[in-house]
Amino acid sequence: VLLLTLSVVAIAHAELCKPDAQNAFKVRLSIKTALGDNAYAWDANEEYLFKAMVAFAMRRYSRKSTTQISNVLLCNVTDRVSFWFVVTDSSKNVTTVPGSEVEAAIRMNQNRINSAFLLSDKTLQFLKITSTLSPPVEPSTPVWLIVFGVVLCLIVAGIVFLIVTGIQQRKKKNKESTERENLEEKGEVTVTVENGIPCETLDLKAGHINGVFAADDERFTSL
């Protein structure tokens, strides 16, 4: 009776898990491509790990502890590492869990499954399940801190520019003032600006001749 029961269960499982069966999914692994010389062999232990990861995904998705490793069936395993799998209903064990639930559970936990086999979405493919995008990588430095740093650098650069410009203008004024003093000491005529109008400064040593009176002096003969 026990042998007959096991035979019936095996036949039922064979009917449930087969290529293109209802609620069945095909998986393809490219271990050699992903790991090169560090590639591992696909054996019964790896199959057990895969079943455990699928059971974990189902339990985490449905938040129930009813799915067991024995509920995950594998079939048509090839040497190039491809196979089909189904998840049976733990309450009946003769029907499969709807494919939509399995797909949702796999999509929710695909990164965890990939990590277990050291693979990625490109090297561990669930052919009828679209891969999910990896969560965005958050920068180690917050964005607001980067913006604050940029603004602070601009402010510091502006202050330095104003200081340097002020120093240069002060040096220029001091230089002009020194040159003016030197010219005054030598008694040279310089041009000053009064109310925006340039005026000649009298040479106190040599004097200055008024041209108006010089013209009148020529009309008179000397005694």
Side-chain angles (χ1 to χ4, degrees):
V1 174
L2 180 59
L3 181 60
L4 180 60
T5 303
L6 293 175
S7 300
V8 171
V9 172
I11 294 173
H13 285 178
E15 290 296 323
L16 294 175
C17 184
K18 61 182 180 180
D20 296 320
Q22 185 179 11
N23 301 323
F25 295 90
K26 186 176 182 179
V27 180
R28 180 184 298 137
L29 292 85
S30 303
I31 304 173
K32 186 69 175 178
T33 301
L35 303 177
D37 295 336
N38 297 322
Y40 52 83
W42 185 262
D43 53 18
N45 294 328
E46 301 298 332
E47 291 182 6
Y48 182 86
L49 178 60
F50 180 83
K51 293 179 182 180
M53 292 304 300
V54 173
F56 162 78
M58 294 299 300
R59 290 162 70 106
R60 188 164 180 260
Y61 170 75
S62 61
R63 300 185 181 277
K64 297 179 182 179
S65 58
T66 55
T67 304
Q68 305 296 326
I69 295 177
S70 59
N71 295 123
V72 182
L73 307 179
L74 271 62
C75 57
N76 290 77
V77 181
T78 65
D79 294 337
R80 298 178 66 91
V81 194
S82 66
F83 53 84
W84 291 76
F85 80 94
V86 294
V87 180
T88 61
D89 190 339
S90 57
S91 60
K92 302 176 182 178
N93 208 32
V94 292
T95 59
T96 56
V97 176
S100 58
E101 294 186 17
V102 177
E103 179 176 357
I106 295 298
R107 285 173 57 85
M108 178 181 177
N109 299 275
Q110 191 161 357
N111 290 332
R112 298 287 296 274
I113 298 174
N114 292 343
S115 300
F117 295 97
L118 308 178
L119 302 176
S120 65
D121 290 347
K122 294 182 179 180
T123 52
L124 198 166
Q125 298 174 301
F126 294 84
L127 298 187
K128 293 199 304 184
I129 301 177
T130 56
S131 60
T132 56
L133 296 176
S134 301
V137 179
E138 297 183 358
S140 57
T141 306
V143 177
W144 67 267
L145 186 58
I146 297 175
V147 175
F148 176 76
V150 173
V151 174
L152 183 60
C153 290
L154 292 176
I155 293 174
V156 172
I159 294 174
V160 172
F161 175 77
L162 292 176
I163 293 175
V164 173
T165 303
I167 293 174
Q168 291 178 347
Q169 290 179 352
R170 183 175 299 176
K171 288 182 178 180
K172 184 177 180 181
K173 289 181 180 179
N174 292 338
K175 184 178 180 181
E176 292 177 352
S177 177
T178 302
E179 292 178 351
R180 188 180 300 110
E181 291 177 356
N182 293 336
L183 293 175
E184 291 178 356
E185 290 177 357
K186 293 179 180 180
E188 296 180 0
V189 179
T190 59
V191 178
T192 59
V193 177
E194 296 290 342
N195 297 325
I197 302 174
C199 302
E200 292 184 354
T201 303
L202 293 177
D203 188 346
L204 299 178
K205 294 181 179 180
H208 190 75
I209 300 176
N210 192 328
V212 175
F213 295 100
D216 293 336
D217 291 342
E218 294 178 354
R219 294 180 298 172
F220 299 97
T221 58
S222 56
L223 296 177

